[in-house]
């Protein structure tokens, strides 16, 4: 599976962005798919994931919404009310085990897309 992340950019605080994670090579059906983020010098952290259920980090609950379009083999992350602390490189990941995925041990990773939120 190849994962292509897109949709990052520069936005002011309070603004919105939508990230996309498009997969090729095989279907994402049956995988837990979602996003992690990392700031230089810090550990990568879980943001959100979707299997049959949705999962969110506490820091993004109520602001971010994850969804998947199986027909397009794509997962989306709608990010609203962005804050400067959301600034990071966002990585798409997919895992056959939800438990391992949530621990950052997904089977597949995309190249990342930069999100920068200015104050």
């Amino acid at each position: 599976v190849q994962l292509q992340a897109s949709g990052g950019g520069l936005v002011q605080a309070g603004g919105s962005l939508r990230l996309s994670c498009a997969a090729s090579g095989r279907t994402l059906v049956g995988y837990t798919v979602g996003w992690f983020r990392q700031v230089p010098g810090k550990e990568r952290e879980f943001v959100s994931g979707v299997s049959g259920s949705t999962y969110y980090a506490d820091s993004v609950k109520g602001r971010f919404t994850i969804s998947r379009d199986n027909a397009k083999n794509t997962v989306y992350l709608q990010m609203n009310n962005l804050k400067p602390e959301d600034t990071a490189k966002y990585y798409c990941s997919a895992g056959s085990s939800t438990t391992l995925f949530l621990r950052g041990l997904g089977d597949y990773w995309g190249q990342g897309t930069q999100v920068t939120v200015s104050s």
Side-chain angles (χ1 to χ4, degrees):
V1 177
Q2 290 78 46
L3 302 176
Q4 180 70 41
S6 61
L10 173 63
V11 64
Q12 289 187 332
S16 298
L17 286 172
R18 189 177 80 155
L19 304 185
S20 298
C21 175
S24 59
R26 66 164 293 162
T27 178
L28 290 177
V29 173
Y31 281 80
T32 301
V33 188
W35 300 88
F36 288 74
R37 65 188 181 188
Q38 189 169 25
V39 175
K42 293 189 176 182
E43 289 190 0
R44 183 175 56 197
E45 65 174 2
F46 168 73
V47 176
S48 182
V50 58
S51 54
S53 302
T54 55
Y55 309 89
Y56 296 97
D58 288 342
S59 59
V60 306
K61 279 181 182 176
R63 300 188 297 121
F64 291 11
T65 303
I66 193 167
S67 62
R68 66 193 302 167
D69 185 334
N70 290 332
K72 295 183 177 180
N73 218 23
T74 299
V75 171
Y76 304 98
L77 185 68
Q78 179 66 43
M79 306 187 295
N80 297 329
N81 190 22
L82 283 161
K83 303 177 180 181
E85 51 264 43
D86 295 317
T87 295
K89 195 162 189 177
Y90 284 68
Y91 294 89
C92 178
S93 178
S96 54
S97 162
T98 297
T99 300
L100 293 179
F101 169 86
L102 293 174
R103 290 169 55 191
L105 298 174
D107 301 297
Y108 305 103
W109 291 86
Q111 85 289 1
T113 185
Q114 179 68 36
V115 171
T116 303
V117 185
S118 63
S119 57

